[in-house]
Amino acid sequence: VQLQASGGGLVQPGGSLRLSCAASGFTRQYWAIGWFRQAPGKEREAVSCLTSGGDTTAYSDSVKGRFTISRDDAWNTVYLQMNSLKPEDTAVYYCATCTLRSGSISVGYYFGEEYWGKGTQVTVSS
């Protein structure tokens, strides 16, 4: 089981970026992968989660309406399309197993284990 994130970079405010997370080894029935981020000096924040149960998605209030999570048809890759980026979106972004409880996103477990990809830096600056 492995997650690998990519696609970060430097973008101007108002710009867009798409992050990708390559997922391997997961059973589709128990598939729930999302995005988390951590800015310098701040706590980790859940950004979005996509689960195999009805393709359910959830977003944090800070990104709702600007970010979109999706997957490819083969359930191999999770994407995070980030539009209208703001300087406060600057952070290291991680893909990880996630879970949804009453619409709230948390780190999830796959057969008892958390799985994280290496982070990818997103910097929003003029």
Side-chain angles (χ1 to χ4, degrees):
V1 175
Q2 196 171 19
L3 297 172
Q4 187 168 355
S6 61
L10 172 64
V11 63
Q12 292 186 342
S16 299
L17 275 178
R18 189 175 80 159
L19 305 183
S20 299
C21 177
S24 60
F26 291 91
T27 301
R28 186 177 302 182
Q29 182 180 1
Y30 303 107
W31 199 96
I33 297 172
W35 294 92
F36 299 78
R37 67 186 182 185
Q38 188 163 22
K42 294 189 176 181
E43 292 188 356
R44 185 179 65 201
E45 175 189 14
V47 175
S48 185
C49 180
L50 170 63
T51 74
S52 59
D55 266 345
T56 303
T57 60
Y59 301 90
S60 66
D61 288 342
S62 60
V63 307
K64 200 172 293 182
R66 299 188 297 122
F67 291 11
T68 303
I69 191 169
S70 63
R71 58 165 179 83
D72 68 347
D73 290 342
W75 297 80
N76 288 333
T77 306
V78 180
Y79 303 102
L80 186 69
Q81 178 66 44
M82 305 185 294
N83 298 330
S84 302
L85 282 161
K86 305 175 182 179
E88 51 263 45
D89 294 318
T90 296
V92 178
Y93 284 71
Y94 301 89
C95 58
T97 46
C98 61
T99 189
L100 299 178
R101 293 190 181 91
S102 301
S104 179
I105 304 167
S106 302
V107 176
Y109 297 88
Y110 180 78
F111 289 99
E113 298 284 342
E114 293 181 17
Y115 290 93
W116 291 82
K118 289 186 178 179
T120 184
Q121 176 70 45
V122 172
T123 302
V124 185
S125 174
S126 56

